[in-house]
Amino acid sequence: MDAKERKKVEETILREIERGQKDIAFLEELVKPIPPDNAIGRLSRMEAINTRSVNQATLSAAKVKLTRLKWALSHIDEPAFGICIECGKPIPLGRILLIPETTMCVPCLEEMDE
Ligand SMILES: [Zn+2]
């Protein structure tokens, strides 16, 4: 990865971090405690509980992603950045720009899934 590519990746990560932080702030509003039955009715409360657990899952996924993005950002200047941790080959730039927090190339990831 040359300096220009690295710069591009850095910009992508910064943009993703900003978006992630906004998403997290928004989701944290959504997962606030649900009012008791008598305040909103039993059915809508059940619905609210369902929606809330979906939002909680989304929120924790967003937090994991944010942590990984920050990690990627702090390691971007290291020679190992963009190198697959499994096979040691460079991860294609297109993939890094799409998922900057990735640490593995597609073939290795697919092998792990099997
Ligand atoms: Zn690999």
Side-chain angles (χ1 to χ4, degrees):
M1 204 186 295
D2 61 31
K4 208 177 143 195
E5 289 172 336
R6 219 169 271 264
K7 184 82 196 133
K8 206 172 164 190
V9 173
E10 190 182 357
E11 281 165 10
T12 306
I13 296 176
L14 286 169
R15 207 167 49 228
E16 290 269 315
I17 287 177
E18 201 182 313
R19 204 171 63 187
Q21 279 166 341
K22 274 184 199 158
D23 283 353
I24 288 169
F26 178 70
L27 286 160
E28 268 170 350
E29 281 299 308
L30 294 181
V31 299
K32 280 186 174 167
I34 295 161
D37 285 2
N38 54 12
I40 56 171
R42 207 165 150 249
L43 263 180
S44 48
R45 183 165 200 270
M46 277 168 68
E47 226 169 88
I49 289 169
N50 277 336
T51 311
R52 188 173 178 234
S53 59
V54 172
N55 288 331
Q56 264 165 340
T58 312
L59 177 62
S60 44
K63 281 182 176 170
V64 170
K65 189 177 161 82
L66 189 65
T67 307
R68 289 187 180 155
L69 284 168
K70 284 180 176 168
W71 184 89
L73 188 65
S74 63
H75 289 78
I76 197 166
D77 288 325
E78 288 171 20
F81 183 82
I83 305 292
C84 173
I85 53 162
E86 196 59 32
C87 66
K89 289 181 196 149
I91 302 168
L93 184 66
R95 174 165 165 77
I96 296 176
L97 289 174
L98 209 63
I99 318 166
E101 71 274 27
T102 192
T103 53
M104 264 196 232
C105 68
V106 175
C108 288
L109 205 67
E110 279 173 354
E111 216 166 281
M112 268 201 33
D113 280 346
E114 274 163 18

